[in-house]
Amino acid sequence: MATQTERTSETRSRILDAAGELFYAHGINATGIDAVVAKSSVAKMTLYKHFPSKDVLIAEWLRRQSQRWRANLESSLDRIADSPRRKLDCLFEVLAEWFTDPAFRGCAFVNCVTELADPQHPGRKVCAEHRRLVREYLSRLAFEAGYPNHRDVGESLAMLADGATVAALAESSPESALRARHLAAAMLEQRAI
């Protein structure tokens, strides 16, 4: 029999799953609390017990999405590459695979920033933190690969990844990952020690 803590955690997770699916598929602004309540099969009061406002729900979903996305990126790169340099080379292979997912709707964080105009919105703050963490991860790989300008390399790769992601959504094609991979390879070669 599940404990109260386990039931609370399961309910919270079910709400986040429902909200995330709706936010990602239909947009944050187009998704009302009633839709989240219906999809998660919880009472509105239960939702508000876990998330006092839609803004808090958005931020919590994005926080969890960030953890999952970054963990998936790192594990995917660990699986296909055995060195920091090779991981940098394979970044766009991982993105191309993501772009072919039938559920792909672009980057949840870019989508969020375009929908939430207020830079002080809690969701926008989570987006900024996510982007910082991705840049730091790529910069760390560049450092481990021996690039003296590792921060610049990480920033540039993150920018190329963002552009490839937006283009993949706009074009409904993973081809942008291949184009970005060629640009990244040229950049990495130019900046090699």
Side-chain angles (χ1 to χ4, degrees):
M1 183 173 208
T3 67
Q4 179 64 31
T5 303
E6 290 169 334
R7 283 192 303 274
T8 298
S9 178
E10 289 171 13
T11 301
R12 182 179 177 80
S13 184
R14 193 166 71 242
I15 294 166
L16 284 169
D17 288 344
E21 187 177 324
L22 293 167
F23 290 157
Y24 189 66
H26 305 291
I28 290 170
N29 292 330
T31 301
I33 288 297
D34 289 338
V36 176
V37 165
K39 183 144 190 79
S40 62
S41 301
V42 301
K44 192 178 280 191
M45 201 164 134
T46 301
L47 183 142
Y48 283 121
K49 177 182 168 190
H50 291 279
F51 306 98
S53 70
K54 184 178 176 184
D55 290 350
V56 171
L57 177 61
I58 292 165
E60 287 301 312
W61 165 64
L62 288 166
R63 194 169 287 112
R64 187 172 77 159
Q65 184 70 11
S66 175
Q67 291 167 346
R68 288 178 173 180
W69 192 90
R70 289 180 291 107
N72 184 61
L73 176 65
E74 290 184 35
S75 67
S76 295
L77 289 174
D78 287 345
R79 180 176 33 84
I80 62 175
D82 59 358
S83 71
R85 172 59 199 249
R86 184 80 181 114
K87 288 177 185 180
L88 294 174
D89 291 338
C90 292
L91 171 64
F92 295 95
E93 285 178 39
V94 172
L95 292 178
E97 186 177 320
W98 176 40
F99 299 164
T100 62
D101 184 325
F104 175 72
R105 291 265 307 120
C107 173
F109 306 95
V110 171
N111 296 349
C112 172
V113 169
T114 62
E115 285 200 67
L116 303 174
D118 179 6
Q120 297 306 311
H121 188 285
R124 290 278 300 259
K125 292 179 179 182
V126 175
C127 291
E129 176 70 2
H130 169 77
R131 296 174 64 72
R132 183 187 65 78
L133 291 169
V134 170
R135 288 190 308 268
E136 283 181 1
Y137 171 66
L138 296 173
S139 294
R140 186 178 79 240
L141 288 178
F143 175 78
E144 292 170 359
Y147 288 94
N149 52 351
H150 60 277
R151 284 188 187 88
D152 186 44
V153 169
E155 292 274 343
S156 297
L157 287 172
M159 189 177 296
L160 282 172
D162 286 342
T165 304
V166 171
L169 179 62
E171 299 166 2
S172 299
S173 169
E175 291 300 313
S176 62
L178 302 175
R179 291 191 303 271
R181 181 181 187 187
H182 291 301
L183 291 170
M187 179 197 70
L188 291 170
E189 185 64 32
Q190 182 183 38
R191 297 178 184 186
I193 51 175

